[in-house]
Amino acid sequence: MRKTTERRVLTRLTACAAAVLLAGTAACSADGDTRADATARPATPTAACTYTWSGVQQRDVLTGIAEEQAFGEDGGRLTRPLKRVHSPSTGATTETGPEAEAKDVLLSLAAHLEDTGTEAPFDRAAFVRAGRPAPALDGNTTETSGAGTLVAYAFVRQVTGDYRRACPGGKPSTGSATSWTTEGSGVLDCKEPSSTFDEGEPSQEAALRSCPPGSPAARS
């Protein structure tokens, strides 16, 4: 009895579970990574510089979670507020060589994701905005039509990677960058067996944090 919702520029729809009704569009989450040493097209405005990316990874990271809420056969609306457990960040660091502008680095990382086809369309302007605030955790409008002990949670699709920048006539730079492409939310039932969760996915962490000790979802 699990549903997830991802907010994208273009929304994908996938049926994940029954009996939990989410307002909005539903989409299942999936972890991914990219091949090492792939070269993205140059970032702008320093168009003469080229970036080579390695170790680029994408994974869904839990950002907020609510306390469990029990419902009878008639179901109802989840009203417990989400509490923040992680604040994602957007930025870049230079570890060796001349300082690289964070926006240029993030522009190149965005181009790398698009060129390699490892991510569905996303908000590029937001992706490259260094220091952007973490997504808000309000606006939960989830309902259930049946009995269960439910936990609501929120997550982002986090992207991290290492770069090497080369500019004509200059010394190379190396460093790392991080941002996120999508924001999502989900609901799980504490009666679900823990074996239904993929290792490291937000729903697994949410179950371990909020479901009653000894419940099927919280068993390791």
mmCIF file of all heavy atoms in Angstrom, residues 55-101:
data_model
loop_
_atom_site.group_PDB
_atom_site.id
_atom_site.type_symbol
_atom_site.label_atom_id
_atom_site.label_comp_id
_atom_site.label_asym_id
_atom_site.label_seq_id
_atom_site.Cartn_x
_atom_site.Cartn_y
_atom_site.Cartn_z
ATOM 1 N N GLY A 55 31.926 9.430 -11.686
ATOM 2 C CA GLY A 55 31.255 9.125 -10.423
ATOM 3 C C GLY A 55 29.921 9.803 -10.242
ATOM 4 O O GLY A 55 29.493 10.047 -9.100
ATOM 5 N N VAL A 56 29.258 10.135 -11.329
ATOM 6 C CA VAL A 56 27.955 10.804 -11.216
ATOM 7 C C VAL A 56 26.912 9.787 -10.762
ATOM 8 O O VAL A 56 26.737 8.739 -11.382
ATOM 9 C CB VAL A 56 27.541 11.439 -12.560
ATOM 10 C CG1 VAL A 56 26.154 12.074 -12.440
ATOM 11 C CG2 VAL A 56 28.566 12.474 -12.993
ATOM 12 N N GLN A 57 26.226 10.111 -9.686
ATOM 13 C CA GLN A 57 25.221 9.218 -9.115
ATOM 14 C C GLN A 57 23.945 9.974 -8.807
ATOM 15 O O GLN A 57 23.967 11.152 -8.477
ATOM 16 C CB GLN A 57 25.746 8.555 -7.839
ATOM 17 C CG GLN A 57 26.929 7.633 -8.059
ATOM 18 C CD GLN A 57 27.342 6.909 -6.785
ATOM 19 O OE1 GLN A 57 27.020 7.330 -5.680
ATOM 20 N NE2 GLN A 57 28.033 5.799 -6.941
ATOM 21 N N GLN A 58 22.835 9.265 -8.921
ATOM 22 C CA GLN A 58 21.526 9.802 -8.564
ATOM 23 C C GLN A 58 20.844 8.836 -7.603
ATOM 24 O O GLN A 58 20.855 7.633 -7.840
ATOM 25 C CB GLN A 58 20.652 9.964 -9.807
ATOM 26 C CG GLN A 58 21.253 10.861 -10.873
ATOM 27 C CD GLN A 58 20.406 10.884 -12.124
ATOM 28 O OE1 GLN A 58 19.298 11.390 -12.106
ATOM 29 N NE2 GLN A 58 20.925 10.332 -13.206
ATOM 30 N N ARG A 59 20.289 9.367 -6.549
ATOM 31 C CA ARG A 59 19.536 8.524 -5.623
ATOM 32 C C ARG A 59 18.488 9.361 -4.904
ATOM 33 O O ARG A 59 18.651 10.572 -4.729
ATOM 34 C CB ARG A 59 20.462 7.847 -4.608
ATOM 35 C CG ARG A 59 21.134 8.782 -3.610
ATOM 36 C CD ARG A 59 22.118 8.027 -2.746
ATOM 37 N NE ARG A 59 22.682 8.864 -1.685
ATOM 38 C CZ ARG A 59 22.209 8.900 -0.443
ATOM 39 N NH1 ARG A 59 21.152 8.157 -0.117
ATOM 40 N NH2 ARG A 59 22.759 9.673 0.468
ATOM 41 N N ASP A 60 17.408 8.704 -4.511
ATOM 42 C CA ASP A 60 16.341 9.374 -3.782
ATOM 43 C C ASP A 60 16.723 9.457 -2.308
ATOM 44 O O ASP A 60 17.071 8.448 -1.688
ATOM 45 C CB ASP A 60 15.025 8.609 -3.944
ATOM 46 C CG ASP A 60 14.503 8.676 -5.374
ATOM 47 O OD1 ASP A 60 14.879 9.622 -6.087
ATOM 48 O OD2 ASP A 60 13.732 7.784 -5.769
ATOM 49 N N VAL A 61 16.643 10.662 -1.752
ATOM 50 C CA VAL A 61 17.064 10.924 -0.381
ATOM 51 C C VAL A 61 15.880 11.454 0.419
ATOM 52 O O VAL A 61 15.201 12.396 -0.008
ATOM 53 C CB VAL A 61 18.230 11.937 -0.346
ATOM 54 C CG1 VAL A 61 18.612 12.271 1.090
ATOM 55 C CG2 VAL A 61 19.430 11.403 -1.113
ATOM 56 N N LEU A 62 15.618 10.846 1.569
ATOM 57 C CA LEU A 62 14.527 11.263 2.449
ATOM 58 C C LEU A 62 14.790 12.668 2.979
ATOM 59 O O LEU A 62 15.872 12.966 3.477
ATOM 60 C CB LEU A 62 14.399 10.275 3.606
ATOM 61 C CG LEU A 62 13.213 10.467 4.554
ATOM 62 C CD1 LEU A 62 11.906 10.071 3.863
ATOM 63 C CD2 LEU A 62 13.408 9.635 5.825
ATOM 64 N N THR A 63 13.778 13.555 2.879
ATOM 65 C CA THR A 63 13.912 14.922 3.397
ATOM 66 C C THR A 63 12.933 15.227 4.526
ATOM 67 O O THR A 63 13.202 16.100 5.352
ATOM 68 C CB THR A 63 13.684 15.956 2.276
ATOM 69 O OG1 THR A 63 12.403 15.729 1.654
ATOM 70 C CG2 THR A 63 14.785 15.849 1.217
ATOM 71 N N GLY A 64 11.785 14.565 4.565
ATOM 72 C CA GLY A 64 10.802 14.829 5.615
ATOM 73 C C GLY A 64 9.979 13.598 5.920
ATOM 74 O O GLY A 64 9.802 12.722 5.059
ATOM 75 N N ILE A 65 9.475 13.522 7.147
ATOM 76 C CA ILE A 65 8.718 12.350 7.576
ATOM 77 C C ILE A 65 7.708 12.750 8.639
ATOM 78 O O ILE A 65 7.948 13.671 9.431
ATOM 79 C CB ILE A 65 9.682 11.262 8.109
ATOM 80 C CG1 ILE A 65 8.953 9.949 8.351
ATOM 81 C CG2 ILE A 65 10.402 11.729 9.354
ATOM 82 C CD1 ILE A 65 9.885 8.815 8.679
ATOM 83 N N ALA A 66 6.566 12.068 8.637
ATOM 84 C CA ALA A 66 5.529 12.304 9.641
ATOM 85 C C ALA A 66 5.444 11.121 10.599
ATOM 86 O O ALA A 66 5.923 10.028 10.298
ATOM 87 C CB ALA A 66 4.179 12.520 8.964
ATOM 88 N N GLU A 67 4.831 11.337 11.752
ATOM 89 C CA GLU A 67 4.570 10.232 12.671
ATOM 90 C C GLU A 67 3.492 9.337 12.081
ATOM 91 O O GLU A 67 2.681 9.768 11.253
ATOM 92 C CB GLU A 67 4.115 10.780 14.021
ATOM 93 C CG GLU A 67 5.177 11.600 14.749
ATOM 94 C CD GLU A 67 4.658 12.132 16.063
ATOM 95 O OE1 GLU A 67 3.451 11.974 16.352
ATOM 96 O OE2 GLU A 67 5.463 12.709 16.824
ATOM 97 N N GLU A 68 3.483 8.071 12.491
ATOM 98 C CA GLU A 68 2.479 7.142 11.961
ATOM 99 C C GLU A 68 1.077 7.586 12.383
ATOM 100 O O GLU A 68 0.889 8.215 13.425
ATOM 101 C CB GLU A 68 2.756 5.721 12.429
ATOM 102 C CG GLU A 68 2.240 5.360 13.803
ATOM 103 C CD GLU A 68 3.150 5.793 14.935
ATOM 104 O OE1 GLU A 68 4.158 6.479 14.658
ATOM 105 O OE2 GLU A 68 2.854 5.450 16.095
ATOM 106 N N GLN A 69 0.099 7.243 11.558
ATOM 107 C CA GLN A 69 -1.299 7.594 11.825
ATOM 108 C C GLN A 69 -2.175 6.386 11.506
ATOM 109 O O GLN A 69 -2.104 5.840 10.399
ATOM 110 C CB GLN A 69 -1.710 8.804 10.990
ATOM 111 C CG GLN A 69 -3.048 9.400 11.366
ATOM 112 C CD GLN A 69 -3.284 10.749 10.701
ATOM 113 O OE1 GLN A 69 -2.386 11.312 10.074
ATOM 114 N NE2 GLN A 69 -4.489 11.273 10.821
ATOM 115 N N ALA A 70 -2.972 5.930 12.480
ATOM 116 C CA ALA A 70 -3.800 4.729 12.314
ATOM 117 C C ALA A 70 -5.189 5.103 11.815
ATOM 118 O O ALA A 70 -5.771 6.116 12.231
ATOM 119 C CB ALA A 70 -3.894 3.978 13.633
ATOM 120 N N PHE A 71 -5.749 4.258 10.932
ATOM 121 C CA PHE A 71 -7.072 4.470 10.368
ATOM 122 C C PHE A 71 -7.887 3.191 10.474
ATOM 123 O O PHE A 71 -7.345 2.084 10.394
ATOM 124 C CB PHE A 71 -6.976 4.881 8.888
ATOM 125 C CG PHE A 71 -6.321 6.214 8.671
ATOM 126 C CD1 PHE A 71 -4.955 6.283 8.422
ATOM 127 C CD2 PHE A 71 -7.054 7.382 8.721
ATOM 128 C CE1 PHE A 71 -4.335 7.503 8.220
ATOM 129 C CE2 PHE A 71 -6.443 8.610 8.514
ATOM 130 C CZ PHE A 71 -5.083 8.672 8.266
ATOM 131 N N GLY A 72 -9.202 3.359 10.637
ATOM 132 C CA GLY A 72 -10.124 2.235 10.623
ATOM 133 C C GLY A 72 -10.530 1.893 9.211
ATOM 134 O O GLY A 72 -9.941 2.394 8.236
ATOM 135 N N GLU A 73 -11.556 1.063 9.088
ATOM 136 C CA GLU A 73 -11.974 0.574 7.766
ATOM 137 C C GLU A 73 -12.423 1.685 6.828
ATOM 138 O O GLU A 73 -12.357 1.532 5.613
ATOM 139 C CB GLU A 73 -13.101 -0.451 7.930
ATOM 140 C CG GLU A 73 -12.658 -1.744 8.621
ATOM 141 C CD GLU A 73 -13.784 -2.747 8.710
ATOM 142 O OE1 GLU A 73 -14.902 -2.419 8.267
ATOM 143 O OE2 GLU A 73 -13.545 -3.866 9.220
ATOM 144 N N ASP A 74 -12.902 2.804 7.381
ATOM 145 C CA ASP A 74 -13.387 3.895 6.529
ATOM 146 C C ASP A 74 -12.257 4.797 6.044
ATOM 147 O O ASP A 74 -12.488 5.676 5.219
ATOM 148 C CB ASP A 74 -14.419 4.741 7.286
ATOM 149 C CG ASP A 74 -15.698 3.964 7.577
ATOM 150 O OD1 ASP A 74 -15.997 3.033 6.818
ATOM 151 O OD2 ASP A 74 -16.372 4.283 8.575
ATOM 152 N N GLY A 75 -11.060 4.603 6.534
ATOM 153 C CA GLY A 75 -9.938 5.421 6.086
ATOM 154 C C GLY A 75 -10.033 6.855 6.574
ATOM 155 O O GLY A 75 -10.674 7.146 7.580
ATOM 156 N N GLY A 76 -9.405 7.773 5.849
ATOM 157 C CA GLY A 76 -9.431 9.179 6.210
ATOM 158 C C GLY A 76 -8.254 9.930 5.619
ATOM 159 O O GLY A 76 -7.529 9.427 4.756
ATOM 160 N N ARG A 77 -8.048 11.151 6.097
ATOM 161 C CA ARG A 77 -6.987 12.021 5.593
ATOM 162 C C ARG A 77 -5.795 12.025 6.552
ATOM 163 O O ARG A 77 -5.962 12.108 7.765
ATOM 164 C CB ARG A 77 -7.520 13.449 5.432
ATOM 165 C CG ARG A 77 -6.495 14.441 4.879
ATOM 166 C CD ARG A 77 -7.072 15.848 4.846
ATOM 167 N NE ARG A 77 -8.200 15.922 3.940
ATOM 168 C CZ ARG A 77 -8.096 16.192 2.643
ATOM 169 N NH1 ARG A 77 -6.902 16.395 2.105
ATOM 170 N NH2 ARG A 77 -9.175 16.234 1.877
ATOM 171 N N LEU A 78 -4.597 11.960 5.993
ATOM 172 C CA LEU A 78 -3.401 12.060 6.812
ATOM 173 C C LEU A 78 -3.187 13.517 7.210
ATOM 174 O O LEU A 78 -3.106 14.401 6.343
ATOM 175 C CB LEU A 78 -2.171 11.550 6.058
ATOM 176 C CG LEU A 78 -1.945 10.038 6.101
ATOM 177 C CD1 LEU A 78 -2.935 9.315 5.204
ATOM 178 C CD2 LEU A 78 -0.522 9.693 5.706
ATOM 179 N N THR A 79 -3.096 13.762 8.489
ATOM 180 C CA THR A 79 -2.993 15.131 8.995
ATOM 181 C C THR A 79 -1.703 15.391 9.769
ATOM 182 O O THR A 79 -1.451 16.534 10.155
ATOM 183 C CB THR A 79 -4.185 15.451 9.912
ATOM 184 O OG1 THR A 79 -4.223 14.495 10.982
ATOM 185 C CG2 THR A 79 -5.505 15.383 9.130
ATOM 186 N N ARG A 80 -0.902 14.380 10.019
ATOM 187 C CA ARG A 80 0.332 14.589 10.777
ATOM 188 C C ARG A 80 1.329 15.384 9.924
ATOM 189 O O ARG A 80 1.573 15.036 8.759
ATOM 190 C CB ARG A 80 0.956 13.255 11.177
ATOM 191 C CG ARG A 80 0.054 12.391 12.067
ATOM 192 C CD ARG A 80 0.028 12.911 13.494
ATOM 193 N NE ARG A 80 -0.964 12.237 14.307
ATOM 194 C CZ ARG A 80 -0.794 11.070 14.906
ATOM 195 N NH1 ARG A 80 0.352 10.422 14.763
ATOM 196 N NH2 ARG A 80 -1.751 10.549 15.650
ATOM 197 N N PRO A 81 1.930 16.442 10.489
ATOM 198 C CA PRO A 81 2.863 17.262 9.705
ATOM 199 C C PRO A 81 4.187 16.549 9.448
ATOM 200 O O PRO A 81 4.640 15.721 10.251
ATOM 201 C CB PRO A 81 3.087 18.488 10.606
ATOM 202 C CG PRO A 81 2.858 17.975 11.993
ATOM 203 C CD PRO A 81 1.757 16.949 11.861
ATOM 204 N N LEU A 82 4.786 16.862 8.335
ATOM 205 C CA LEU A 82 6.103 16.332 8.015
ATOM 206 C C LEU A 82 7.173 17.109 8.776
ATOM 207 O O LEU A 82 7.121 18.339 8.851
ATOM 208 C CB LEU A 82 6.375 16.433 6.517
ATOM 209 C CG LEU A 82 5.518 15.567 5.592
ATOM 210 C CD1 LEU A 82 5.807 15.918 4.141
ATOM 211 C CD2 LEU A 82 5.779 14.095 5.835
ATOM 212 N N LYS A 83 8.132 16.383 9.320
ATOM 213 C CA LYS A 83 9.261 16.996 10.007
ATOM 214 C C LYS A 83 10.525 16.763 9.188
ATOM 215 O O LYS A 83 10.759 15.665 8.687
ATOM 216 C CB LYS A 83 9.417 16.409 11.409
ATOM 217 C CG LYS A 83 8.217 16.665 12.316
ATOM 218 C CD LYS A 83 8.429 16.050 13.687
ATOM 219 C CE LYS A 83 7.220 16.296 14.589
ATOM 220 N NZ LYS A 83 7.409 15.682 15.932
ATOM 221 N N ARG A 84 11.337 17.805 9.073
ATOM 222 C CA ARG A 84 12.524 17.712 8.219
ATOM 223 C C ARG A 84 13.592 16.820 8.854
ATOM 224 O O ARG A 84 13.910 16.946 10.035
ATOM 225 C CB ARG A 84 13.106 19.093 7.943
ATOM 226 C CG ARG A 84 14.213 19.070 6.886
ATOM 227 C CD ARG A 84 14.603 20.468 6.458
ATOM 228 N NE ARG A 84 13.508 21.181 5.842
ATOM 229 C CZ ARG A 84 13.102 21.001 4.589
ATOM 230 N NH1 ARG A 84 13.721 20.095 3.823
ATOM 231 N NH2 ARG A 84 12.092 21.691 4.101
ATOM 232 N N VAL A 85 14.152 15.930 8.033
ATOM 233 C CA VAL A 85 15.249 15.077 8.482
ATOM 234 C C VAL A 85 16.520 15.330 7.667
ATOM 235 O O VAL A 85 17.605 14.881 8.057
ATOM 236 C CB VAL A 85 14.865 13.583 8.404
ATOM 237 C CG1 VAL A 85 13.700 13.282 9.322
ATOM 238 C CG2 VAL A 85 14.525 13.171 6.966
ATOM 239 N N HIS A 86 16.385 16.023 6.532
ATOM 240 C CA HIS A 86 17.547 16.324 5.699
ATOM 241 C C HIS A 86 17.241 17.536 4.842
ATOM 242 O O HIS A 86 16.144 17.657 4.296
ATOM 243 C CB HIS A 86 17.902 15.134 4.798
ATOM 244 C CG HIS A 86 18.980 15.430 3.807
ATOM 245 N ND1 HIS A 86 20.290 15.649 4.160
ATOM 246 C CD2 HIS A 86 18.931 15.560 2.444
ATOM 247 C CE1 HIS A 86 21.009 15.886 3.074
ATOM 248 N NE2 HIS A 86 20.207 15.841 2.019
ATOM 249 N N SER A 87 18.210 18.451 4.740
ATOM 250 C CA SER A 87 18.082 19.627 3.873
ATOM 251 C C SER A 87 19.047 19.483 2.708
ATOM 252 O O SER A 87 20.272 19.631 2.887
ATOM 253 C CB SER A 87 18.386 20.913 4.655
ATOM 254 O OG SER A 87 17.440 21.130 5.676
ATOM 255 N N PRO A 88 18.554 19.165 1.510
ATOM 256 C CA PRO A 88 19.445 19.013 0.362
ATOM 257 C C PRO A 88 20.070 20.345 -0.022
ATOM 258 O O PRO A 88 19.524 21.416 0.275
ATOM 259 C CB PRO A 88 18.510 18.497 -0.738
ATOM 260 C CG PRO A 88 17.166 19.028 -0.349
ATOM 261 C CD PRO A 88 17.131 19.007 1.145
ATOM 262 N N SER A 89 21.221 20.285 -0.678
ATOM 263 C CA SER A 89 21.929 21.505 -1.065
ATOM 264 C C SER A 89 22.234 21.488 -2.555
ATOM 265 O O SER A 89 22.224 20.443 -3.202
ATOM 266 C CB SER A 89 23.235 21.650 -0.270
ATOM 267 O OG SER A 89 24.099 20.552 -0.520
ATOM 268 N N THR A 90 22.501 22.670 -3.091
ATOM 269 C CA THR A 90 22.906 22.837 -4.486
ATOM 270 C C THR A 90 24.169 23.681 -4.508
ATOM 271 O O THR A 90 24.168 24.803 -4.001
ATOM 272 C CB THR A 90 21.810 23.521 -5.310
ATOM 273 O OG1 THR A 90 20.639 22.711 -5.305
ATOM 274 C CG2 THR A 90 22.263 23.744 -6.743
ATOM 275 N N GLY A 91 25.242 23.147 -5.081
ATOM 276 C CA GLY A 91 26.481 23.909 -5.126
ATOM 277 C C GLY A 91 27.620 23.095 -5.700
ATOM 278 O O GLY A 91 27.452 21.947 -6.112
ATOM 279 N N ALA A 92 28.798 23.717 -5.725
ATOM 280 C CA ALA A 92 30.000 23.067 -6.251
ATOM 281 C C ALA A 92 31.210 23.543 -5.471
ATOM 282 O O ALA A 92 31.246 24.683 -4.994
ATOM 283 C CB ALA A 92 30.175 23.379 -7.733
ATOM 284 N N THR A 93 32.196 22.681 -5.338
ATOM 285 C CA THR A 93 33.449 23.027 -4.671
ATOM 286 C C THR A 93 34.612 22.745 -5.611
ATOM 287 O O THR A 93 34.566 21.815 -6.418
ATOM 288 C CB THR A 93 33.637 22.208 -3.380
ATOM 289 O OG1 THR A 93 33.624 20.808 -3.703
ATOM 290 C CG2 THR A 93 32.511 22.492 -2.393
ATOM 291 N N THR A 94 35.655 23.577 -5.506
ATOM 292 C CA THR A 94 36.891 23.371 -6.254
ATOM 293 C C THR A 94 37.937 22.855 -5.289
ATOM 294 O O THR A 94 38.241 23.504 -4.285
ATOM 295 C CB THR A 94 37.375 24.678 -6.904
ATOM 296 O OG1 THR A 94 36.360 25.187 -7.779
ATOM 297 C CG2 THR A 94 38.655 24.443 -7.702
ATOM 298 N N GLU A 95 38.488 21.695 -5.572
ATOM 299 C CA GLU A 95 39.456 21.064 -4.666
ATOM 300 C C GLU A 95 40.893 21.329 -5.077
ATOM 301 O O GLU A 95 41.774 21.482 -4.228
ATOM 302 C CB GLU A 95 39.172 19.569 -4.592
ATOM 303 C CG GLU A 95 37.795 19.262 -4.011
ATOM 304 C CD GLU A 95 37.370 17.825 -4.192
ATOM 305 O OE1 GLU A 95 38.167 17.044 -4.758
ATOM 306 O OE2 GLU A 95 36.252 17.478 -3.782
ATOM 307 N N THR A 96 41.152 21.378 -6.379
ATOM 308 C CA THR A 96 42.494 21.698 -6.870
ATOM 309 C C THR A 96 42.378 22.628 -8.066
ATOM 310 O O THR A 96 41.398 22.587 -8.809
ATOM 311 C CB THR A 96 43.265 20.436 -7.295
ATOM 312 O OG1 THR A 96 42.628 19.843 -8.436
ATOM 313 C CG2 THR A 96 43.335 19.422 -6.164
ATOM 314 N N GLY A 97 43.398 23.483 -8.271
ATOM 315 C CA GLY A 97 43.422 24.360 -9.422
ATOM 316 C C GLY A 97 42.622 25.630 -9.229
ATOM 317 O O GLY A 97 42.099 25.905 -8.139
ATOM 318 N N PRO A 98 42.499 26.430 -10.297
ATOM 319 C CA PRO A 98 41.761 27.687 -10.227
ATOM 320 C C PRO A 98 40.298 27.470 -9.837
ATOM 321 O O PRO A 98 39.695 26.457 -10.179
ATOM 322 C CB PRO A 98 41.868 28.234 -11.666
ATOM 323 C CG PRO A 98 43.063 27.557 -12.252
ATOM 324 C CD PRO A 98 43.112 26.205 -11.625
ATOM 325 N N GLU A 99 39.744 28.439 -9.124
ATOM 326 C CA GLU A 99 38.358 28.343 -8.679
ATOM 327 C C GLU A 99 37.407 28.314 -9.872
ATOM 328 O O GLU A 99 37.531 29.103 -10.813
ATOM 329 C CB GLU A 99 38.005 29.535 -7.789
ATOM 330 C CG GLU A 99 36.670 29.442 -7.101
ATOM 331 C CD GLU A 99 36.677 28.464 -5.939
ATOM 332 O OE1 GLU A 99 37.773 28.110 -5.462
ATOM 333 O OE2 GLU A 99 35.576 28.061 -5.521
ATOM 334 N N ALA A 100 36.449 27.388 -9.842
ATOM 335 C CA ALA A 100 35.421 27.288 -10.882
ATOM 336 C C ALA A 100 34.109 27.840 -10.333
ATOM 337 O O ALA A 100 33.736 27.553 -9.189
ATOM 338 C CB ALA A 100 35.235 25.838 -11.322
ATOM 339 N N GLU A 101 33.421 28.640 -11.124
ATOM 340 C CA GLU A 101 32.141 29.198 -10.701
ATOM 341 C C GLU A 101 31.120 28.077 -10.522
ATOM 342 O O GLU A 101 30.975 27.208 -11.384
ATOM 343 C CB GLU A 101 31.622 30.194 -11.734
ATOM 344 C CG GLU A 101 32.408 31.499 -11.802
ATOM 345 C CD GLU A 101 32.205 32.346 -10.567
ATOM 346 O OE1 GLU A 101 31.138 32.200 -9.919
ATOM 347 O OE2 GLU A 101 33.102 33.147 -10.246
#
